[in-house]
Amino acid sequence: MIKTDPPIEMKTAYEMTEWLARYGQTERGGVTRLLYDQKWQEAQQALQKEMEAAGLVSYFDDAGNLYGRLEGAEKTDAVILTGSHIDTVADGGKYDGAYGIVAGILALKSLFKQYGQPKQTIEVVSLCEEEGSRFPLTYWGSGNITGLRKEEHIQELKDSSGTTFTEAMNAAGFGLGHFRKAKRDDLDCFIELHIEQGEVLEREGKAVGVVSHIVGQRRYNVTITGESNHAGTTPMPYRKDAVYTAAALTQTLIEQAKKTDPDLVATVGRMEIKPNIPNVIAREVVFSVDIRHSEEPLLESFSTAIFETFEQICQVHQTGIHIENWMNEKPVPMCQKLSALSTDILEREQIPYKVMTSGAGHDSQVFGQYVPTSLLFVPSHRGISHSPDEYTKSEDLEQGVQLLKKTLYELAY
Ligand SMILES: [Zn+2]
């Protein structure tokens, strides 16, 4: 059993992320903390104690989100919210999500100590779930707060051991009516501090990333239908080779993406070949297409054009094509006013930063559709994430906390 009390008073973000990583620590030095499991419960309870020790009033909502509140003297019905998610992927890193919570607690603690009560209420939140790593549903934490997710979305869901979502939630002590209702109508804004999970900041020598947009994503399954035949006796001109077509389409997709816009990314990450036998020409290939960009019109025009080209290539190859679009998430702009608060501070203090898009979704993607939202990144060493090797330097973690603290000060005091 892990002791939930910290052995020392933790002053740095590094110390605190190390401490939090003990809840769910894996053999390889990573963290596995899945929604509502034992380690998740212990982590939330430990964080609650930390929030109380930091002088915050703590409470849970009925989805399992944990809050620490620093009450404002004047404006109490428009809450400035900061934080991130406590859950991880299996054998994930110490910083993804956890850092944003730790940073929020440290920033609030330090603000309270230095300046006392703010004018406007600030809360830090440890969101119960973002990753979708236990149940096939993401953003359960931020989704409950904003109303995007409801109980009806979890009725059919089970984890890999057959436990239903509702059973897991109830076993951890949560569920409708157990605590304060999760949906909130009193939020003024949301600020999330997160590791980049990419290597742009490190490569460019920047300490902070200020996110302008979370990119939109479109995902497709493309099915190419050819004709199976003997690999030795079918002359090249007579073939309807699905692999050949799939290869041509993949090359076209990637070359066009490179030509179109530096921020456009397109990926074929999965390919299934039938019958997948060395001496048989493939009759079918199904492959995935993932396209992302921060501007919806560009996503739209690129996707339309690329699939027209796909059809033309298939005609030439005499193969059939079926395109299924199964995900279509629009880009989410972050709040320019909030971003400007942070960039002003960074300019003033001569801290190197980059205004950038986020190629990954975060809780900010959900909040950003609901309240003014700001997403701030600190560097990830070599861009490694969702891995025990995830690492951010202590001084970068600290820099992020200071920026968050100063941004919150500008807003609330
Ligand atoms: Zn995350």
Side-chain angles (χ1 to χ4, degrees), residues 84-85 96-97 130-131 192 194 197 362 386:
S84 194
H85 59 98
D96 179 4
E130 186 260 359
E131 301 280 5
E192 183 175 21
H194 203 282
Q197 299 180 288
H362 292 286
H386 285 182

Side-chain angles (χ1 to χ4, degrees), residues 143-212:
N144 264 278
I145 296 167
T146 58
L148 180 81
R149 299 272 184 257
K150 298 190 176 74
E151 292 238 327
E152 68 209 51
H153 297 127
I154 60 167
Q155 297 308 323
E156 308 292 318
L157 303 183
K158 287 181 183 168
D159 68 8
S160 58
S161 69
T163 305
T164 68
F165 201 116
T166 311
E167 282 165 358
M169 182 162 62
N170 292 336
F174 299 100
L176 208 59
H178 287 225
F179 290 94
R180 177 189 300 215
K181 81 175 167 66
K183 173 82 165 62
R184 297 191 66 154
D185 300 307
D186 61 343
L187 297 184
D188 184 38
C189 62
F190 177 67
I191 303 175
E192 183 175 21
L193 186 56
H194 203 282
I195 56 163
E196 184 198 346
Q197 299 180 288
E199 56 185 331
V200 174
L201 293 176
E202 186 176 75
R203 272 177 182 269
E204 298 188 11
K206 309 288 187 196
V208 173
V210 179
V211 175
S212 62

Side-chain angles (χ1 to χ4, degrees), residues 70-75 112 115-122 412-413:
L70 185 56
E71 190 77 18
E74 294 166 17
K75 220 169 160 189
F112 186 50
Y115 306 106
Q117 192 181 20
K119 284 190 191 129
Q120 193 171 343
T121 300
I122 320 172
Y413 283 82

Side-chain angles (χ1 to χ4, degrees), residues 131-408:
E131 301 280 5
S133 45
R134 179 170 182 185
F135 299 96
L137 183 80
T138 53
Y139 303 123
W140 179 241
S142 52
N144 264 278
I145 296 167
T146 58
L148 180 81
R149 299 272 184 257
K150 298 190 176 74
E151 292 238 327
E152 68 209 51
H153 297 127
I154 60 167
Q155 297 308 323
E156 308 292 318
L157 303 183
K158 287 181 183 168
D159 68 8
S160 58
S161 69
T163 305
T164 68
F165 201 116
T166 311
E167 282 165 358
M169 182 162 62
N170 292 336
F174 299 100
L176 208 59
H178 287 225
F179 290 94
R180 177 189 300 215
K181 81 175 167 66
K183 173 82 165 62
R184 297 191 66 154
D185 300 307
D186 61 343
L187 297 184
D188 184 38
C189 62
F190 177 67
I191 303 175
E192 183 175 21
L193 186 56
H194 203 282
I195 56 163
E196 184 198 346
Q197 299 180 288
E199 56 185 331
V200 174
L201 293 176
E202 186 176 75
R203 272 177 182 269
E204 298 188 11
K206 309 288 187 196
V208 173
V210 179
V211 175
S212 62
H213 289 80
I214 294 173
V215 299
Q217 301 184 30
R218 294 185 177 203
R219 291 196 205 162
Y220 302 83
N221 283 328
V222 179
T223 306
I224 305 300
T225 318
E227 218 171 71
S228 271
N229 227 323
H230 197 290
T233 60
T234 318
M236 296 310 270
Y238 301 164
R239 295 182 178 208
K240 293 175 184 169
D241 184 345
V243 162
Y244 176 43
T245 305
L249 300 185
T250 303
Q251 185 168 12
T252 305
L253 171 76
I254 289 163
E255 282 177 355
Q256 286 305 317
K258 282 182 182 174
K259 274 186 212 160
T260 303
D261 188 279
D263 289 333
L264 182 78
V265 288
T267 308
V268 174
R270 185 176 58 85
M271 207 174 261
E272 284 165 22
I273 300 168
K274 288 177 189 167
N276 208 18
I277 295 169
N279 58 353
V280 177
I281 297 162
R283 73 164 182 275
E284 188 182 280
V285 175
V286 182
F287 63 94
S288 60
V289 173
D290 176 311
I291 304 170
R292 305 185 192 202
H293 195 268
S294 59
E295 290 159 28
E296 182 68 10
L298 195 141
L299 264 180
E300 175 64 30
S301 61
F302 179 79
S303 307
T304 306
I306 200 71
F307 291 121
E308 274 172 22
T309 312
F310 275 21
E311 307 254 1
Q312 287 159 9
I313 293 172
C314 286
Q315 270 183 10
V316 176
H317 285 221
Q318 292 186 292
T319 46
I321 182 165
H322 177 72
I323 299 156
E324 180 208 356
N325 174 217
W326 62 272
M327 187 208 268
N328 204 347
E329 281 184 1
K330 291 198 163 37
V332 179
M334 298 290 97
C335 173
Q336 285 183 6
K337 254 171 84 180
L338 286 174
S339 293
L341 265 185
S342 298
T343 52
D344 284 351
I345 293 164
L346 292 161
E347 292 277 353
R348 207 160 60 218
E349 311 215 341
Q350 296 183 320
I351 296 162
Y353 69 95
K354 182 183 174 75
V355 175
M356 61 194 294
T357 59
S358 171
H362 292 286
D363 289 301
S364 289
Q365 181 178 340
V366 176
F367 280 108
Q369 299 170 57
Y370 184 71
V371 287
T373 295
S374 173
L375 175 60
L376 303 166
F377 284 157
V378 293
S380 297
H381 181 51
R382 292 175 52 214
I384 299 170
S385 188
H386 285 182
S387 153
D389 297 330
E390 194 176 87
Y391 175 70
T392 297
K393 281 190 296 193
S394 181
E395 58 256 48
D396 288 335
L397 296 174
E398 221 44 54
Q399 187 90 266
V401 174
Q402 288 308 315
L403 174 63
L404 179 65
K405 179 188 165 186
K406 286 165 188 164
T407 306
L408 291 172

